[in-house]
Every structure is written in C-alpha cells, then in structure tokens.
Amino acid sequence: LQTTYSIGELSHALGVTPRTLRFYEDKGLIHPRRQGLSRIYSGRDRARLELILLGRRVGFSLAEIKAMLDHSELGEGRTAQLRLALSHFGRQLERLATQKRDIDTAIGAVARTMAVVEGMLRQRELADGSDMHATVVMEAAE
Amino acid sequence: LQTTYSIGELSHALGVTPRTLRFYEDKGLIHPRRQGLSRIYSGRDRARLELILLGRRVGFSLAEIKAMLDHSELGEGRTAQLRLALSHFGRQLERLATQKRDIDTAIGAVARTMAVVEGMLRQRELADGSDMHATVVMEAAE
DNA sequence: GCGACTGTTACGCCGCGTCATTGTGC
DNA sequence: AGCACAATGACGCGGCGTAACAGTCG
C-alpha cells in the first residue's frame, strides 16, 4: 500500500518540473528519503508538496510557507499556532486586495490609452495624407 | 528657460531612487547628457522617464517599453506603429485580466481557509481540554 | 551500447536595493 | 577640510529555467 514516486513521476503529477522539487528541497521545504542517490517521495511528501504549491498559488512566499509548515510540524501550542496562521492569512488577504486594486488601475489606464490610440487611427482613416504632427504613441497615455 | 535636473533632483521628483535612473540608462532606456561625469537630465528626458514609469505601473516590462519608445522615436510608418502599439496594449490587457482572475481565485482560497481555521478555533473555545486530534493548519485549505 | 532517467553544479533572468569605494564641488 | 552629492562596480534577492556534464538502469 506504500505509494512512492520518483522525482519525474511526482513533478509530472503536480504539474511542475523536477527542478522545482529539487529547489524546494534545497530550500528546506521538503525532505524525501533517498535510495542511493535517487529521491524517493512518499504519499506524505506529495501531500506536503501539494500544500506548498497551494500556498504559492495563493501568493505566499516560500519562506512564509516553510515557516507555517515547520510550525505545524512541531505541533506545539496548537491554538496559538492557529491564531498565528490566521494573522498570516489576514495579511495575505490585504496584499491580494492591494494587488487587485493596482491591476484595476492598470487596466483602466491601458484601456483609456487604447481608446485614445484608436481615436488617432480613425482620424487618420478620414483625413489621410494630411500631415498632422503625430503625437508619440504613449504620450497619449497620461 | 532650459530646465535641467541632477539625478538626485529628478529621481526625487519622480518618486524613485537614483539607482533606478542609472539602471534605466544601463538598459538603454534613457540617455542623459553628461557634464563631466555627472548626468544632466533635460525636460525631454523627464517626460520620457515619466512615460517609462507609467509603462511600468501598468505592467509592461522594461524591454517592451524600450521597444515601443525606440519605435516611436524612429517615427517611421506612424500608422503601422500605432497599430503595433494597439496590439501590445491588447495583449497586456489580456495578461492583466488573467492576473486579476488568479488573484480572485487566491482571495477565495485564502478566505475559505480562514473560515475553516476560525471554525476550528471556535470549537476549541467550546470544548477546551478535549484532545481532538488536530488537523494540521493548512490541510484545511484544499 | 543506447536512450531515458537521475544526480550535482552553477550561471541567467528582472528590477532594482544595497553596500563599498572613490571622486567632485561648494 | 568637511559635507553632501555624484560616480562606478559588484553582489543579493526570489523562484526557479536552463545548460553542462556525469552516473545509473533496463
């Protein structure tokens, strides 16, 4: 019943490259056992890696993920640990909200710029050949 | 009437560090004239830098910005150049939209995880001392 | 003895931050 | 002579990608 994986199998299953798994090991996030030189990943290792990848997807840094995993591994002060994790999540939510606002701002800016440029193109179609002293593209953007 | 700036003045006015301006120069994005060794930025240089910073804010890479600026500098094929810029903007809008979706997904994941963890904490408050075999924090997340 | 996999080592990328060191001008 | 600015050069970070080369297994 012992499911194990080679680095190739597991990285493929997780949708990452072997390099990524070796990198995580180098950073102390995972510690597969060895058979000779080759890494052997257990089901537990896989679960842990899935948590790591989940953490990455939702925007935590590898250092933060390692901190949380290490803490939960020690199992000390479970309740305190939960509160700590909650505060981590809270701050991450703030960061994500900020990023979202920034992106909305950027979308607005790009969209407005496109509108201006499209306007310039339409003018060109109408009055063709006229030598309107063309404004440089991005100047339209501010 | 010739407004010029030292690197300290201009970087301060633009809200960046001198290092940033030197870096952009190193990357061929800007070419201030020199007085001896010191860089002297003109009003034109400033405008160009404002365009660069605008581009950064809306998510273009420095390489893309350089490409667009170089093109518009040549001034050749103005209409074609406008169309090219439009396609740049279009692709950037797509990237931004994707990023926004990813962030929304992440926000959802973190928020749900927080809800679960908060639930665990509430249970602990009620049934305190009971040795519920605590699930590791992040396992709640998937 | 070939190919598919594994391993290690180490440099590259991007957008700068951050020293360390050496001018230069007032 | 001191102080604030400027200059260059080089390494650091984060999260891997991408060789380059060697070993191992079927």
Side-chain angles (χ1 to χ4, degrees):
Chain A
L1 311 206
Q2 296 280 30
T3 319
T4 62
Y5 311 84
S6 72
I7 192 169
E9 290 167 356
L10 186 51
S11 60
H12 183 76
L14 297 178
V16 299
T17 69
R19 176 70 176 100
T20 301
L21 302 191
R22 295 194 188 105
F23 181 74
Y24 289 170
E25 182 174 351
D26 208 52
K27 292 292 163 180
L29 287 167
I30 187 84
H31 314 282
R33 62 194 179 83
R34 298 274 181 147
Q35 198 166 49
L37 285 180
S38 298
R39 295 164 174 85
I40 305 293
Y41 295 88
S42 68
R44 208 179 288 273
D45 288 333
R46 174 175 181 156
R48 189 178 170 96
L49 279 168
E50 285 174 353
L51 287 178
I52 293 170
L53 294 175
L54 171 65
R56 288 280 312 122
R57 277 198 299 279
V58 300
F60 286 101
S61 74
L62 292 185
E64 288 171 318
I65 294 170
K66 176 171 164 52
M68 291 194 287
L69 287 177
D70 288 355
H71 262 275
S72 55
E73 207 151 75
L74 292 179
E76 27 148 315
R78 297 199 183 283
T79 296
Q81 179 214 128
L82 287 183
R83 296 196 196 284
L84 184 65
L86 261 189
S87 78
H88 272 281
F89 293 148
R91 267 174 294 158
Q92 179 56 11
L93 269 188
E94 287 173 20
R95 278 184 284 182
L96 288 169
T98 299
Q99 285 184 35
K100 193 177 172 182
R101 276 194 301 274
D102 290 348
I103 287 184
D104 280 336
T105 302
I107 286 177
V110 174
R112 280 194 302 277
T113 305
M114 286 187 74
V116 172
V117 174
E118 280 164 1
M120 293 172 66
L121 277 173
R122 269 194 297 274
Q123 284 211 2
R124 248 152 239 257
E125 283 170 16
L126 298 181
D128 212 318
S130 82
D131 184 44
M132 39 187 69
H133 53 298
T135 314
V136 168
V137 175
M138 287 191 61
E139 280 177 3
E142 54 84 36
Chain B
L1 313 205
Q2 296 281 30
T3 319
T4 61
Y5 311 84
S6 73
I7 191 170
E9 289 166 356
L10 186 51
S11 60
H12 183 73
L14 297 178
V16 299
T17 69
R19 175 72 176 101
T20 301
L21 301 192
R22 293 194 189 105
F23 181 75
Y24 289 169
E25 182 174 350
D26 206 53
K27 293 292 163 179
L29 287 167
I30 186 83
H31 314 282
R33 62 193 180 84
R34 298 274 181 144
Q35 200 166 46
L37 286 179
S38 298
R39 294 165 174 85
I40 305 293
Y41 296 87
S42 67
R44 207 179 288 272
D45 288 332
R46 174 175 182 157
R48 190 177 168 96
L49 279 168
E50 284 173 355
L51 288 178
I52 293 171
L53 293 176
L54 172 66
R56 288 279 313 123
R57 278 198 297 279
V58 300
F60 286 99
S61 74
L62 291 185
E64 289 170 317
I65 293 170
K66 176 170 162 54
M68 292 195 288
L69 286 177
D70 287 356
H71 262 274
S72 55
E73 208 149 74
L74 292 179
E76 26 149 315
R78 298 199 184 280
T79 296
Q81 179 215 127
L82 286 183
R83 296 195 196 285
L84 182 65
L86 260 188
S87 79
H88 271 281
F89 292 147
R91 266 176 294 157
Q92 179 57 12
L93 268 188
E94 287 173 21
R95 278 184 285 180
L96 288 169
T98 300
Q99 286 184 33
K100 193 177 172 180
R101 277 194 301 274
D102 290 348
I103 286 184
D104 281 334
T105 303
I107 286 176
V110 174
R112 280 194 301 277
T113 305
M114 284 187 76
V116 173
V117 174
E118 279 164 1
M120 293 172 67
L121 276 174
R122 270 194 296 273
Q123 284 210 3
R124 247 153 239 255
E125 283 170 17
L126 298 182
D128 211 319
S130 80
D131 185 44
M132 37 189 68
H133 51 299
T135 315
V136 167
V137 174
M138 287 193 62
E139 279 176 5
E142 56 85 34

